Every structure is written in C-alpha cells, then in structure tokens.
Amino acid sequence: MSDRFRIDSHKLMFHPTRVSQWLGAGNDWEKLKKIYPIYMELSPSGVCNHRCSFCAFDYIGYQKRFLSLGRLQQIIPEIAGLGVKSILCSGEGEPLLNQDIIPITKLIRGSGIDVAFASNATLMDKKFTERSLHHITWFKASIAAGTKENYAKIHHTRESDFGTVIQNLKYAVYWKNKHKINCTLGAQILLLPENAGEVETLAKICRDDIGLDYLVVKPYSQHGLSATDRYGELDYHLFDKEKLINSDLSSERFSFIWRESTMEKTSQKRQYDFCRAIPFLYAHITAMGDVYGCSSFLGKEKFCYGNINESNFQEIWEGEKRRQNYEYIKNVMDCSKCRINCRMDEINSYLYDLHHPGAHVNFI
C-alpha cells in the first residue's frame, strides 16, 4: 500500500468514542459544547521566509508575530486534559521562525499530545533536529520543484535554499536512523503547471538522495480569502500521471503518494449539506492567539471564538461565540461555496454517511 499513512483519506474511524459522543449529543448544545478537537493546528509564527506562489495565507500579510512560550506552557497542558490528541505546527508562517520552537515542541509532546510539522525546512538545522526530532511524530517539508532554478521561482526565494533543504533533510534522516527515532520524514509537492515535469525528479531526490519515507503529490486548493488566484481554475484531469511518471517510484521503504482521490474531487460536487466537523473535531490557533474552528476563515469574526492570551481554552471552546458559529454553520452557511478539498472534507463525508446510512447497513 503506497499510502500507508492514509494521507489521501482520513482517520476518524480510529476515534469511535469521540464520534459516538458527537452522535449522541444530537442538537443539544450543552452536550455539543463539551466535544473537544481531536486535531489542532498551531501557528507558532505569523511571518515566513518564503513567498510561495501558491500560498493560501498571503491575505494575512506575513505579520511578524509569534505565539508566546509562556502562554503555551499554560494552554497546552489544559488542552491535553480536554482531549486534544494531536497538534500540527504550521499555519500562517514558517513555524521554525519562532525562536522558542524547540521548547514548544518538547512542551507539546511532554503534555501527551502528538506533534507534527509542515515546514519549508530551510531552518531545520542540526540544532533543531538533534533536540526535537525524538519528540516529533512526523515532519513534512514543502518542496515545490525538482530543480533549484524552478524551486526559487515558485517559492520566491534564493536558489541556494533548495540545496539547504536537501542537506537539512539528509541530516534529519541520518539522525533518525542513528538514534532509531520513530519519526516519519516526508515531503510534499503541490502539483502545478510550472512543476509537473519535475515530480519524478523530486521523487528520486527524496527517495535516493535524501532517504525520506514518502513524497506526496497533491492538488492546489483555492482559498476563498487568498489574493492568489492564478491556479484557481486548474483542471487536474489534464495532469496525466502516466505521462509525468515513467517508473515505479515506490519501494519497500519509500511511498510515492499521488493524491488521486483528492484530485478527482476538485471537479466533483460535495455530497454533504453542511459542515459537521466544525466546530467540533478541529481547531486552529493563530500566531496572534485567536482560536478558530476552521483555518479557511482566519480573520473572519464569525469563526473566531476568543483569544488564548485573554482566556483559557475551555472558556473559549464552550463559550457563546462558538455556539453562535455552530448555529451559523448549520443553518445559514452554504458549504458548497467553501474551499474545495478543505482540511475536513473527508471527515465531513464520513460524518454525513453516519447520519445518512442508506439501506442494508446491518449486513456488515
């Protein structure tokens, strides 16, 4: 199975207790407000050292602000006790730009929460790797090309960054193997007209030169608020995998993951009538400390429940603003206009099926 990490699917079926809690709550807000996220995204940094042509968060403006370690030392143990199981450090900027990212990583894992990173990996130096890798569940580097020239054009950075990323990831693989660390190291390329011809080149670099565990090829998803719209009309039926990939790139230890299902959905209509995942199973904390139910609406007041610098997480999550957002999502918002292939799309399809099981479901 090339996608042994279930990247082109979802994993909610492995959390039956939380799903059962959600099903049992019905429309009773007093029960619903007690359902806490399984998964959360954290933005340690609002600023980024790249200006990628496909960036979804360009509209926020790459502001130089960072989550405080001191405040996180209070908030992270709290959310662990409330049932949050995983945190992805990603968000509006490059997470490794936060000067406290090493103790933040240790704090999250030490609180019993799985921690992962989505990063451009330019700052994944030896210090970060040696002090943090054993705390991290997975680290995924965004590499949008297979050559330094094209990488610089798409990431809007120096050509030398391409070599820096490769060397950083090589060292991480070396350190992982030397110390037998259980951390999955991978990379991701967003499939664009500018880099389609370099997917196989990048895959071989990841597999043979670096020694990563996987490379993911995923489609672009137009963010509704993004100033970037040059890729919004991409038709992924025109990207012929058989013409772009001339060899079997997966091996016993390396997975080449072409997100075919996700690409297919770029031209399909959603089956579900409203978002059932929000505001329950997922949350996002910005570099400013604002708590949102959905990362597609950062900056939109209706989706902001409060700020961790002003209140504890439980007060925010069980508060009136989240209840109002729940009513808005269920009764007003047209999810057919939401971002295609959003974070919770697969989750929503699963939850919809639970509410609309169809015939003969007892014949398992």
Side-chain angles (χ1 to χ4, degrees):
M1 181 179 179
S2 61
D3 189 11
R4 64 185 189 273
F5 306 107
R6 300 185 69 91
I7 292 173
D8 201 27
S9 181
H10 74 93
K11 308 179 189 76
L12 188 56
M13 73 285 288
F14 300 114
H15 301 275
T17 302
R18 200 72 58 94
V19 174
S20 178
Q21 182 188 10
W22 175 81
L23 282 169
N27 294 317
D28 185 344
W29 177 250
E30 290 305 307
K31 294 179 179 178
L32 289 170
K33 73 180 185 181
K34 297 289 185 180
I35 301 173
Y36 279 84
I38 296 172
Y39 162 71
M40 181 180 289
E41 290 186 30
L42 201 68
S43 295
S45 167
V47 69
C48 190
N49 55 342
H50 285 184
R51 293 292 184 271
C52 300
S53 62
F54 52 82
C55 181
F57 294 117
D58 54 359
Y59 71 96
I60 296 176
Y62 309 105
Q63 298 181 45
K64 194 173 183 179
R65 52 196 183 197
F66 306 93
L67 282 174
S68 159
L69 172 61
R71 188 61 183 133
L72 288 176
Q73 286 171 333
Q74 297 172 309
I75 292 293
I76 295 299
E78 181 197 3
I79 65 173
L82 292 168
V84 173
K85 295 182 179 297
S86 65
I87 288 179
L88 171 63
C89 292
S90 179
E92 309 113 85
E94 167 51 48
L96 271 61
L97 278 167
N98 189 310
Q99 64 179 3
D100 292 318
I101 197 61
I102 294 174
I104 288 172
T105 305
K106 182 179 179 181
L107 168 68
I108 296 171
R109 189 68 198 102
S111 298
I113 299 174
D114 292 341
V115 58
F117 280 83
S119 163
N120 62 40
T122 54
L123 302 173
M124 192 188 190
D125 57 16
K126 290 183 178 180
K127 179 181 177 182
F128 175 82
T129 294
E130 292 175 4
R131 296 188 183 183
S132 300
L133 204 64
H134 57 291
H135 296 302
I136 298 171
T137 302
W138 55 263
F139 188 104
K140 180 167 62 182
S142 175
I143 310 175
T147 63
K148 63 180 182 180
E149 296 83 5
N150 210 18
Y151 176 90
K153 290 177 183 177
I154 297 173
H155 283 254
H156 287 204
T157 188
R158 303 176 300 271
E159 290 185 2
S160 60
D161 275 1
F162 185 71
T164 298
V165 169
I166 291 173
Q167 290 306 313
N168 286 346
L169 292 172
K170 271 187 176 181
Y171 187 78
V173 171
Y174 158 76
W175 191 260
K176 167 188 170 177
N177 293 336
K178 179 180 179 181
H179 296 278
K180 296 181 173 57
I181 297 172
N182 186 25
C183 172
T184 302
L185 296 170
Q188 173 178 286
I189 180 171
L190 199 67
L191 186 60
L192 304 170
E194 297 98 309
N195 63 20
E198 296 181 359
V199 171
E200 184 165 2
T201 300
L202 179 61
K204 290 178 178 177
I205 291 172
C206 292
R207 183 190 65 189
D208 302 331
D209 297 347
I210 304 175
L212 294 180
D213 295 302
Y214 67 82
L215 173 68
V216 176
V217 185
K218 67 173 287 187
Y220 174 80
S221 173
Q222 179 64 46
H223 192 293
L225 301 175
S226 176
T228 301
D229 59 7
R230 61 190 290 187
Y231 305 115
E233 301 300 321
L234 280 182
D235 182 358
Y236 278 92
H237 292 99
L238 301 178
F239 290 86
D240 189 338
K241 180 184 176 184
E242 303 306 317
K243 291 182 180 179
L244 295 174
I245 310 301
N246 297 310
S247 59
D248 185 5
L249 296 170
S250 290
S251 67
E252 187 175 341
R253 62 165 189 78
F254 177 82
S255 296
F256 177 72
I257 305 165
W258 182 278
R259 295 192 62 175
E260 188 169 0
S261 175
T262 307
M263 291 184 195
E264 283 292 325
K265 287 191 296 181
T266 59
S267 59
Q268 295 175 355
K269 184 179 179 181
R270 286 184 170 95
Q271 66 165 338
Y272 49 89
D273 47 353
F274 67 91
C275 181
R276 291 170 170 80
I278 308 301
F280 302 112
L281 304 173
Y282 163 56
H284 185 116
I285 299 180
T286 71
M288 196 173 174
D290 288 329
V291 177
Y292 286 84
C294 180
S295 63
S296 290
F297 295 98
L298 302 187
K300 291 293 184 179
E301 185 64 26
K302 277 189 174 69
F303 289 83
C304 182
Y305 309 147
N307 189 288
I308 61 168
N309 297 310
E310 301 169 359
S311 307
N312 65 42
F313 191 81
Q314 185 171 8
E315 290 171 344
I316 294 170
W317 197 251
E318 296 186 16
E320 177 62 16
K321 287 187 175 181
R322 179 166 163 259
R323 187 198 66 77
Q324 291 175 358
N325 183 239
Y326 161 68
E327 297 291 348
Y328 172 76
I329 291 172
K330 184 179 179 183
N331 300 315
V332 180
M333 189 176 79
D334 181 2
C335 74
S336 68
K337 297 179 181 178
C338 282
R339 185 180 185 183
I340 296 172
N341 286 324
C342 72
R343 285 272 199 259
M344 294 291 108
D345 183 63
E346 284 283 340
I347 299 296
N348 268 303
S349 294
Y350 178 72
L351 295 177
Y352 176 86
D353 286 343
L354 290 178
H355 267 174
H356 301 81
H360 310 155
V361 294
N362 292 332
F363 291 86
I364 60 173

